[in-house]
């Protein structure tokens, strides 16, 4: 079959290349439509209880996580100049617009600062409450109004700071820190229509800080997620550039031929375009996770190029016929390369079965991209080389590497005479790794992947030190009885719950319908801060009309809808308590919730109330836990699927069992490294195991395929077959491991800690896998030869054709061993690839 494919690709190279380039152009044209992921979430399945609870909250109350805060701490805000400048900043931000369909569009719903604060006043004749601005001379200032004085500025600030309602919202009682809150339209903020509104606010705030000399601190989910999104966009090009640079350098060092480098870079560049185009066509968004796919395609696609080009040059060196060399390249390497790409794709595809939306998208795009990368390479490489000059003699010198032969000889000597040492070393690694695994932790913060010096973390730290945090924390309280959730008894329960939250420093000041009612009671008594409380039973009888307006004279405050509408659903069955909290890790969050839950149940008995804790902080916590729980599932699935593939290839269950050991050992080692070094399991590092397993198992397939061929060639001499397989496959594993090691290592340049850890861990895993497959696997084969090497093993279910031609291993050697020479004689002068 592959002979016919090779003939077709070479004869119809112009047509196939034109078709491929046409598809590439279509993919490239779709890339501008690739959207960015602006929202948090996507980890939990849509039917997960936590995700459903969050969706219910958004449906009932509309928005969460749509507030950007700007904090300052400066006594100059008590002066006329300072307060005026603060007010002008608020007005400048309020006036910002974005262009949507050619029209300036408002995305900011409101801007709230000290100068926009209001107080509640009693209107005796109307028996109602009025909202009165505290600084009308600033908010509604007329052009001919007298300038603000220092005394008036001091009065405004002191009045705001005297109102308990704004304690922890607009001001910190322990210092001069104050906040400005910018509230966005959530639907616009989560869409591309948001334009550069957040960036414009940051620029406006920074310019104001330079002009006034007052330092600003920005935070809130809009600022955090847009900052991270912009870093992702910046790193995408950075990573692609770095991956191409590393690839070009390794290819040049290997082949010493700029034409070969250019062909290989063309192949991987087309693969990158296809992967990005596929994301756009599938309407997936570009997130931190998805941004890893294009550089991954470069790293994983390079071995395809090395296998194919190396075989082409080795064949050309034999007989000097370029077209014949290209045909044999496809014939002898195509099937085996297809298989190794398929097993790698299977490792990535296991994420599809996690039911986590972001992992499903990652699994779909990455697995399809890997298979498309193979197709691109098998079409482009033979076609392009037909149009390039024949390789010259100095272009083929890379096939002779003395140092490679020496290193491989070390592996052979170790397997031949030091198997006990190999087992002891493997056992020691396993024991130490198992101990390291006991030190592993599962954690995750919304911003924990950012470097410590990043502005997002610095400003978040300031906000947490002054106001306890900015991460949304919402509690829904369902009273199960329509119209009764704000009964006097329930208001007291809510107040008790809010007092409970005050005991925990992780939470900022909470806000609920209780605070609205307390503000009204304070207003009834002339604004006395000491009266900021719930009304007594006697007070409810004469305060009721003020809360209801003039509509009725009922005595209860539970239907004070004008004051409490932002905190109660339309049926008055469900109310909310809103707070912010520090960006604590998942472990701390679990401990906090464990301590809170019994006390919450004592306030709201479960048999009478349905209480749901939600918000971005909770969704992120549960998402991280969900990923960890599914890690075992995805890994088990990956191992099972790849084991089935190996069983189909080798028709020996015993051999599959032996083959999995050297692939599980590197994963165990990596888990141990994570425990020793304190790298936690979190969304950004959880990919390590499935990705590394899917790639490293290729070496095992190469080795066993060559081993089976050597068994037949050596008359079922197991010892000779094992040693010959080590000699042949050792070179290929070394070269591909070098490429993959440095390719994944380039992720260490990322600004995101999780991405750096991912790159380092995968690199280490693949390096350990190389040693494991070249020493542990052959040692096991020799020690348990009679048990695992059955006759069925020598009869493949799937014929890889000349399996020894997979990577032209002996063509990389200067001094060929005896088995390699014999192999050439046995196979009509065609040298083996491992």
């Amino acid at each position: 079959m592959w002979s016919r494919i090779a003939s077709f690709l070479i004869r119809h190279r112009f047509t196939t290349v034109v078709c491929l380039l046409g598809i590439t152009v279509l993919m490239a044209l779709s890339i501008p439509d690739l959207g960015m992921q602006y929202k948090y979430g996507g980890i939990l399945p849509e039917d997960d209880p936590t995700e459903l609870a969050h969706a219910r909250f958004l449906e009932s109350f509309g928005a969460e996580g749509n507030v950007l805060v700007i904090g300052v701490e400066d006594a100059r805000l008590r002066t006329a100049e300072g307060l005026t400048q603060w007010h002008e900043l608020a007005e400048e931000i309020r006036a910002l617009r974005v262009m949507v369909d050619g029209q300036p569009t408002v995305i900011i719903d409101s801007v709230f600062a000290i100068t926009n604060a209001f107080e509640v006043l009693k209107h005796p004749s109307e028996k109602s409450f009025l909202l009165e601005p505290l600084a009308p001379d600033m908010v509604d200032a007329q052009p001919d109004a007298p300038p603000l004085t220092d005394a008036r500025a001091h009065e405004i600030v002191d009045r705001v700071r005297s109102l308990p309602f704004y304690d922890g919202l607009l001001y910190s009682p322990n210092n001069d820190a104050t906040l400005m809150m910018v509230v966005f339209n959530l639907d616009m903020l989560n869409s591309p229509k948001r334009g550069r509104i957040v960036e414009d606010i940051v620029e406006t705030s920074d310019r104001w800080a330079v002009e006034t000399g007052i330092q600003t601190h920005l935070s809130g989910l809009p600022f955090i997620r847009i900052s991270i999104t912009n870093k992702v966009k910046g790193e995408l090009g950075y990573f692609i550039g770095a991956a191409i640079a590393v690839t070009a350098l390794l290819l040049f060092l290997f082949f010493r031929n700029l034409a070969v480098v250019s062909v290989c870079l063309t192949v991987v560049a087309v693969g990158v375009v296809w992967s990005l185009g596929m994301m756009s066509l599938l309407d997936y968004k570009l997130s931190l996770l998805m941004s890893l796919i294009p550089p991954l395609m470069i790293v994983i696609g390079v071995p395809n190029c090395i296998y194919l080009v190396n075989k082409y040059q080795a064949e050309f060196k034999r007989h000097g016929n370029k077209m014949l060399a290209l045909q044999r390249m496809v014939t002898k390497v195509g099937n085996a390369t297809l298989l190794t790409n398929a097993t790698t794709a299977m490792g990535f595809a296991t994420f599809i079965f996690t039911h986590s939306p972001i992992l499903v998208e990652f699994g779909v795009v990455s697995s399809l991209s890997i298979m498309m990368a193979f197709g691109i390479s098998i079409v482009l490489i033979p076609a392009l080389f037909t149009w390039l000059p024949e390789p010259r003699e100095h272009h083929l010198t890379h096939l002779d590497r003395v140092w490679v032969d020496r290193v491989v000889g070390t592996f052979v000597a170790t397997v031949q005479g030091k198997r006990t040492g190999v087992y002891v070393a493997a056992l020691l690694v396993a024991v130490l790794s198992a101990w390291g695994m006991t030190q592993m932790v599962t954690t995750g913060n919304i911003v924990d992947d950012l470097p410590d010096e990043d502005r997002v973390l610095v400003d978040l730290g300031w906000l947490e030190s002054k106001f306890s945090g900015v991460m949304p924390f919402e509690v829904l309280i369902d009273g199960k009885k329509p119209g009764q959730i704000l009964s006097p008894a329930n208001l007291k329960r809510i107040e008790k719950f809010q007092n409970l939250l005050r005991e925990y420093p992780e939470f900022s000041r909470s806000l609920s319908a209780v605070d609205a009612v307390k503000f009204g009671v304070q207003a009834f008594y002339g604004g006395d801060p000491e009266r900021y409380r719930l009304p007594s039973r006697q007070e409810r009888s004469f305060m009721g009309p003020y809360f209801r307006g003039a509509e009725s004279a009922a005595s209860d405050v539970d239907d004070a809808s004008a004051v409490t509408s932002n905190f109660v659903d339309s049926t008055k069955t469900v109310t909310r308590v809103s707070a912010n909290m520090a960006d604590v890790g998942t472990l701390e969050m679990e401990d906090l919730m464990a301590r809170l839950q019994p006390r919450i149940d004592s306030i709201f008995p479960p048999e009478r109330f349905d209480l749901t804790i939600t918000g971005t902080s909770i969704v992120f916590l549960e998402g991280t836990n969900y990923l960890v729980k599914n890690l075992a599932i995805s890994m088990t699935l990956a191992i099972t699927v790849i084991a089935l593939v190996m069983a189909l290839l080798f028709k020996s269950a015993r051999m599959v069992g032996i083959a999995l050991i050297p692939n599980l050992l590197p994963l165990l080692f990596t888990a141990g490294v994570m425990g020793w070094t304190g790298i936690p399991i979190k969304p950004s590092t959880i990919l390590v195991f499935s990705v590394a397993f899917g790639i490293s198992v290729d070496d095992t397939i190469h080795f066993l395929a060559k081993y089976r061929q050597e068994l037949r060639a050596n008359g079922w001499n197991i010892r000779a077959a094992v040693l010959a397989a080590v000699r042949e496959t050792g070179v290929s594993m070394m070269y591909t491991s070098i490429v993959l090691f440095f390719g994944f290592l380039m992720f260490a340049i990322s600004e995101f800690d999780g991405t750096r850890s991912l790159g380092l861990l995968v690199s280490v895993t693949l390096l350990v896998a190389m040693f494991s497959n070249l020493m542990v696997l052959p040692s096991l084969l020799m020690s348990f030869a009679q048990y695992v090497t059955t006759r069925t093993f020598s009869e493949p279910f799937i014929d890889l054709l000349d399996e020894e031609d997979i990577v032209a291993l002996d063509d990389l050697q200067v001094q060929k061993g005896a088995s390699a020479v014999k192999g050439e004689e046995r196979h009509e002068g065609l040298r083996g690839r491992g």
Side-chain angles (χ1 to χ4, degrees):
M1 181 183 73
W2 280 96
S3 295
R4 290 193 295 270
I5 292 174
S7 297
F8 176 86
L9 291 175
I10 294 174
R11 290 177 183 174
H12 303 282
R13 56 189 177 276
F14 183 79
T15 303
T16 55
V17 169
V18 168
C19 292
L20 187 145
L21 292 181
I23 298 173
T24 303
V25 170
L26 293 176
M27 290 289 192
L29 291 175
S30 68
I31 291 177
D33 298 326
L34 179 61
M36 297 297 299
Q37 179 62 268
Y38 296 110
K39 298 189 295 183
Y40 277 110
I43 298 177
L44 293 171
E46 293 181 356
D47 58 353
D48 185 88
T50 300
E51 190 69 24
L52 292 174
H54 192 237
R56 179 191 177 196
F57 166 81
L58 294 177
E59 182 180 356
S60 299
F61 297 102
E64 177 248 24
N66 62 328
V67 179
L68 182 150
V69 297
I70 305 174
V72 297
E73 183 179 12
D74 200 297
R76 280 177 285 178
L77 262 64
R78 289 180 175 271
T79 67
E81 180 183 13
L83 191 61
T84 300
Q85 290 171 331
W86 187 237
H87 179 67
E88 289 173 348
L89 174 62
E91 293 305 303
E92 187 176 356
I93 292 175
R94 192 193 310 275
L96 291 175
R97 301 288 187 270
V98 297
M99 299 301 294
V100 178
D101 298 328
Q103 298 294 324
T105 304
V106 177
I107 289 183
I108 299 173
D109 285 344
S110 64
V111 181
F112 195 59
I114 287 178
T115 54
N116 306 106
F118 59 85
E119 60 181 334
V120 181
L121 301 179
K122 181 175 68 171
H123 195 299
S125 61
E126 298 290 339
K127 291 189 179 299
S128 63
F129 294 119
L130 302 176
L131 300 182
E132 184 73 20
L134 284 170
D137 45 344
M138 298 189 70
V139 176
D140 302 315
Q142 301 300 316
D144 56 349
L148 186 71
T149 64
D150 286 347
R152 174 59 179 153
H154 205 283
E155 177 187 350
I156 293 171
V157 174
D158 282 348
R159 181 55 182 160
V160 172
R161 296 178 71 87
S162 71
L163 296 175
F165 183 82
Y166 297 117
D167 182 358
L169 298 178
L170 280 181
Y171 69 88
S172 173
N174 303 319
N175 47 61
D176 286 327
T178 185
L179 294 179
M180 179 186 298
M181 290 177 279
V182 183
V183 183
F184 294 94
N185 178 293
L186 189 62
D187 292 335
M188 296 287 284
L189 182 67
N190 289 336
S191 74
K193 296 179 180 180
R194 55 164 284 277
R196 285 181 48 84
I197 189 67
V198 174
E199 293 89 337
D200 291 342
I201 293 173
V202 174
E203 292 173 2
T204 301
S205 170
D206 290 347
R207 184 174 62 251
W208 181 88
V210 172
E211 293 172 353
T212 62
I214 300 175
Q215 184 179 3
T216 56
H217 304 272
L218 284 77
S219 196
L221 281 185
F223 173 70
I224 292 172
R225 70 191 188 191
I226 296 303
S227 297
I228 293 177
T229 297
N230 288 340
K231 288 181 183 295
V232 169
K233 286 195 292 187
E235 284 203 346
L236 177 60
Y238 191 54
F239 273 152
I240 291 176
I244 290 176
V246 170
T247 297
L249 178 60
L250 291 173
L251 289 172
F252 183 76
L253 291 176
F254 185 61
F255 293 107
R256 302 297 176 93
N257 188 335
L258 290 178
V260 170
V261 173
S262 299
V263 169
C264 294
L265 291 183
T266 300
V267 170
V268 296
V270 171
V272 168
V273 171
W274 281 41
S275 65
L276 290 171
M278 193 192 317
M279 289 185 211
S280 179
L281 293 175
L282 293 174
D283 198 26
Y284 293 161
K285 304 301 181 183
L286 190 63
S287 62
L288 177 59
L289 181 61
M290 297 295 279
S291 70
L292 299 178
I293 292 178
L296 277 175
M297 292 308 101
I298 297 175
V299 174
I300 296 174
V302 170
N304 290 339
C305 298
I306 292 177
Y307 297 156
L308 292 166
V309 174
N310 191 70
K311 182 59 180 176
Y312 160 63
Q313 292 187 344
E315 287 291 338
F316 181 82
K317 185 177 180 180
R318 285 194 187 96
H319 46 69
N321 187 323
K322 183 172 74 171
M323 302 306 288
L324 179 60
L326 289 171
Q327 184 176 23
R328 287 187 174 181
M329 173 190 74
V330 176
T331 301
K332 296 180 180 299
V333 180
N335 202 18
T337 307
L338 173 62
L339 176 65
T340 55
N341 278 265
T343 56
T344 302
M346 288 177 187
F348 283 85
T350 55
F351 295 118
I352 297 174
F353 301 97
T354 63
H355 302 294
S356 171
I358 62 171
L359 289 184
V360 169
E361 293 177 5
F362 179 81
V364 168
V365 176
S366 59
S367 56
L368 289 178
S369 295
I370 290 169
M371 297 311 299
M372 289 191 304
F374 165 76
I376 293 167
S377 63
I378 208 70
V379 170
L380 274 185
I381 289 178
L384 294 179
F385 275 112
T386 61
W387 298 321
L388 288 173
E390 295 178 349
R392 298 180 181 179
E393 185 175 349
H394 67 274
H395 293 153
L396 307 177
T397 56
H398 70 89
L399 298 174
D400 303 322
R401 294 281 197 252
V402 176
W403 68 270
V404 173
D405 207 34
R406 292 175 179 171
V407 174
V408 173
T410 302
F411 289 134
V412 172
T414 301
V415 172
Q416 192 170 8
K418 302 178 180 179
R419 289 200 299 276
T420 301
V422 170
Y423 295 144
V424 171
L427 182 60
L428 183 62
V429 167
V431 171
L432 292 177
S433 298
W435 174 80
M437 287 182 63
T438 64
Q439 312 300 313
M440 291 177 68
V441 295
T442 302
T443 188
N445 303 69
I446 293 177
V447 297
D448 68 348
D449 279 339
L450 293 172
D452 292 340
E453 68 278 5
D454 190 271
R455 179 178 183 176
V456 171
L457 279 182
V458 173
D459 284 4
L460 178 61
W462 186 89
L463 266 297
E464 289 181 348
S465 67
K466 305 297 180 181
F467 294 92
S468 296
V470 295
M471 300 302 174
F473 179 85
E474 299 281 350
V475 179
L476 293 181
I477 305 168
D478 187 345
K480 301 181 180 180
K481 296 180 180 179
Q484 298 298 310
I485 192 59
L486 295 186
S487 67
N490 286 341
L491 286 176
K492 289 183 179 180
R493 292 179 186 275
I494 296 170
E495 180 185 36
K496 188 175 181 180
F497 172 64
Q498 289 184 262
N499 291 336
L500 172 64
L501 294 182
R502 284 179 178 269
E503 297 178 19
Y504 295 86
E506 295 87 353
F507 295 103
S508 69
R509 153 77 187 282
S510 61
L511 202 61
S512 72
V514 168
D515 296 284
V517 174
K518 288 181 177 180
F519 209 170
V521 174
Q522 178 183 342
F524 188 87
Y525 289 106
D528 182 4
E530 298 296 325
R531 302 283 189 157
Y532 186 79
R533 55 173 174 77
L534 289 174
S536 64
R537 178 177 299 179
Q538 293 78 12
E539 289 171 325
R540 290 200 297 271
S541 60
F542 53 82
M543 287 184 187
Y546 285 88
F547 284 100
R548 296 189 304 273
E551 294 180 355
S552 70
S555 60
D556 288 336
V557 299
D558 54 287
D559 55 357
S561 59
V563 181
T564 61
S565 58
N566 289 331
F567 301 99
V568 189
D569 72 337
S570 58
T571 65
K572 296 178 184 178
T573 305
V574 181
T575 188
R576 68 189 280 198
V577 176
S578 298
N580 290 322
M581 66 179 302
D583 184 30
V584 299
T586 53
L587 292 178
E588 295 87 342
M589 193 69 168
E590 287 178 339
D591 177 67
L592 180 62
M593 291 298 101
R595 287 182 284 129
L596 267 176
Q597 196 61 55
R599 302 182 69 181
I600 293 174
D601 291 343
S602 67
I603 299 172
F604 298 101
E607 63 272 12
R608 294 179 54 190
F609 298 91
D610 286 334
L611 189 138
T612 303
I613 299 176
T614 186
T616 301
S617 301
I618 301 298
V619 173
F620 187 84
L621 163 69
E622 293 301 324
T624 301
N625 290 337
Y626 178 85
L627 289 182
V628 174
K629 291 175 183 176
N630 278 271
L631 172 61
I633 297 175
S634 63
M635 271 307 304
T636 301
L637 184 60
I639 293 170
T640 302
V641 170
I642 292 175
L644 289 175
V645 171
M646 294 172 68
L648 288 175
L649 287 173
F650 303 123
K651 295 178 65 177
S652 172
R654 298 173 182 178
M655 186 63 72
V656 172
I658 289 292
L660 288 178
I661 294 176
N663 288 288
L664 296 179
L665 186 62
L667 301 184
L668 184 64
F669 178 78
T670 299
V673 170
M674 294 178 72
W676 302 330
T677 59
I679 298 175
I681 295 179
K682 54 184 177 180
S684 53
T685 59
I686 206 166
L687 305 176
V688 172
F689 302 99
S690 295
V691 171
F693 182 79
I695 297 174
S696 65
V697 77
D698 293 347
D699 286 342
T700 303
I701 292 176
H702 289 162
F703 183 90
L704 291 179
K706 181 61 183 176
Y707 170 58
R708 183 171 61 199
Q709 288 294 316
E710 290 296 334
L711 274 176
R712 292 197 291 250
N714 285 276
W716 208 254
N717 186 325
I718 293 173
R719 180 185 182 84
V722 169
L723 297 179
V726 173
R727 290 190 184 97
E728 303 297 333
T729 57
V731 180
S732 71
M733 291 187 192
M734 287 177 58
Y735 274 90
T736 55
S737 295
I738 288 172
V739 171
L740 293 170
F741 178 82
F742 285 103
F744 279 101
L745 199 61
M746 60 119 188
F747 287 111
I749 63 179
S750 172
E751 288 190 66
F752 296 98
D753 178 70
T755 305
R756 289 198 302 270
S757 298
L758 175 67
L760 291 170
L761 291 171
V762 173
S763 295
V764 169
T765 304
L766 295 178
L767 200 61
V768 174
M770 180 192 74
F771 288 101
S772 183
N773 277 297
L774 283 176
M775 290 193 290
V776 177
L777 177 58
S779 296
L780 290 171
L781 289 176
M782 293 184 72
S783 297
F784 299 94
Q786 302 302 324
Y787 178 75
V788 299
T789 309
T790 61
R791 286 288 173 181
T792 56
F793 173 72
S794 66
E795 301 170 359
F797 181 82
I798 298 176
D799 189 4
L800 295 183
L801 297 176
D802 291 327
E803 291 172 313
E804 73 275 16
D805 288 318
I806 292 177
V807 289
L809 297 176
D810 53 327
D811 293 321
L812 297 174
Q813 299 175 341
V814 176
Q815 300 172 346
K816 302 175 179 62
S819 64
V821 175
K822 293 178 181 177
E824 290 181 349
E825 297 172 352
R826 283 191 302 268
H827 297 289
E828 300 176 350
L830 297 180
R831 303 184 190 186
R833 297 174 69 92

